[in-house]
């Protein structure tokens, strides 16, 4: 893999500068910045980033989203900071959620008593469905 430019100043005047942990180290001549080849890390699909941020806005905690999507709560926290997402203040409602497969969701939606008195949203999570329901706190 050939390095074309310095990651700090984008200058292409770079020279090899030894090996650290079996990876080639480089030096940028103009800014004296040392760097090595970028590590190929695990990239999380944008679909899961979007779902995590939607669930955060719906009122779920980072740990709850972690359990549902299977992505680290630290990653979710970093995405919230990166995209500058602010959760709306609304203390009158509390979201609860349930995970259903298709047949369970159909059976759940048949009961009209469960559906009244609360706002709901249904979102797809892979081969499952998540139902988020908001109910007023009882005073």
């Amino acid at each position: 893999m050939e390095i074309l430019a310095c990651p700090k100043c984008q200058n292409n005047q770079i020279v090899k500068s030894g090996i650290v942990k079996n990876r080639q180290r480089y030096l940028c001549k103009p800014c004296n910045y040392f760097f090595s080849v970028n590590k190929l890390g695990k990239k999380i699909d944008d679909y899961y980033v979007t779902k995590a941020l939607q669930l955060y806005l719906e009122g779920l905690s980072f740990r709850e989203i972690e359990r549902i999507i299977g992505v680290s709560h630290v990653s979710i926290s970093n995405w919230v900071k990166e995209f500058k997402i602010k959760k709306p203040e609304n203390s009158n409602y509390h979201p609860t959620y349930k995970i259903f497969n298709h047949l369970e969701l159909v059976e759940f939606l048949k009961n009209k008593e469960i559906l009244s008195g609360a706002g709901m949203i249904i979102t797809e999570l892979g081969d499952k469905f998540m139902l988020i329901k908001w109910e007023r706190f009882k005073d």
Side-chain angles (χ1 to χ4, degrees):
M1 175 182 269
E2 186 64 31
I3 302 296
L4 301 175
C6 170
K8 187 174 180 183
C9 70
Q10 305 305 319
N11 197 303
N12 60 358
Q13 295 179 6
I14 55 174
V15 294
K16 290 183 177 181
S17 182
I19 295 176
V20 177
K21 295 184 181 177
N22 294 324
R23 291 173 49 197
Q24 181 66 55
R25 185 176 184 201
Y26 297 92
L27 168 66
C28 175
K29 288 284 196 171
C31 70
N32 288 327
Y33 181 70
F34 289 94
F35 61 96
S36 59
V37 177
N38 289 337
K39 187 168 68 169
L40 295 176
K42 182 178 166 187
K43 173 85 169 93
I44 297 174
D45 193 311
D46 289 341
Y47 171 80
Y48 293 104
V49 175
T50 303
K51 281 295 177 189
L53 294 175
Q54 286 174 341
L55 294 174
Y56 176 74
L57 284 171
E58 299 301 338
L60 276 67
S61 71
F62 295 142
R63 300 262 183 187
E64 289 172 320
I65 299 168
E66 175 183 35
R67 285 190 289 273
I68 293 166
I69 295 182
V71 175
S72 166
H73 65 278
V74 176
S75 294
I76 297 164
S77 172
N78 290 337
W79 296 333
V80 168
K81 289 176 189 171
E82 177 184 344
F83 294 108
K84 297 176 177 72
I85 305 290
K86 297 219 185 298
K87 194 184 290 190
E89 291 294 323
N90 191 349
S91 59
N92 292 335
Y93 291 94
H94 177 69
T96 57
Y97 64 91
K98 292 184 181 178
I99 307 292
F100 296 108
N101 64 30
H102 182 259
L103 294 175
E104 292 170 338
L105 180 62
V106 170
E107 287 300 316
F108 182 84
L109 294 175
K110 285 182 181 178
N111 188 349
K112 291 188 179 189
E113 292 175 7
I114 294 174
L115 302 179
S116 64
M120 282 191 272
I121 189 169
I122 299 170
T123 185
E124 181 184 7
L125 287 173
D127 62 343
K128 304 251 186 234
F129 297 92
M130 177 155 108
L131 181 131
I132 304 171
K133 185 175 179 181
W134 296 270
E135 297 180 290
R136 285 190 181 274
F137 286 125
K138 305 291 184 205
D139 290 337

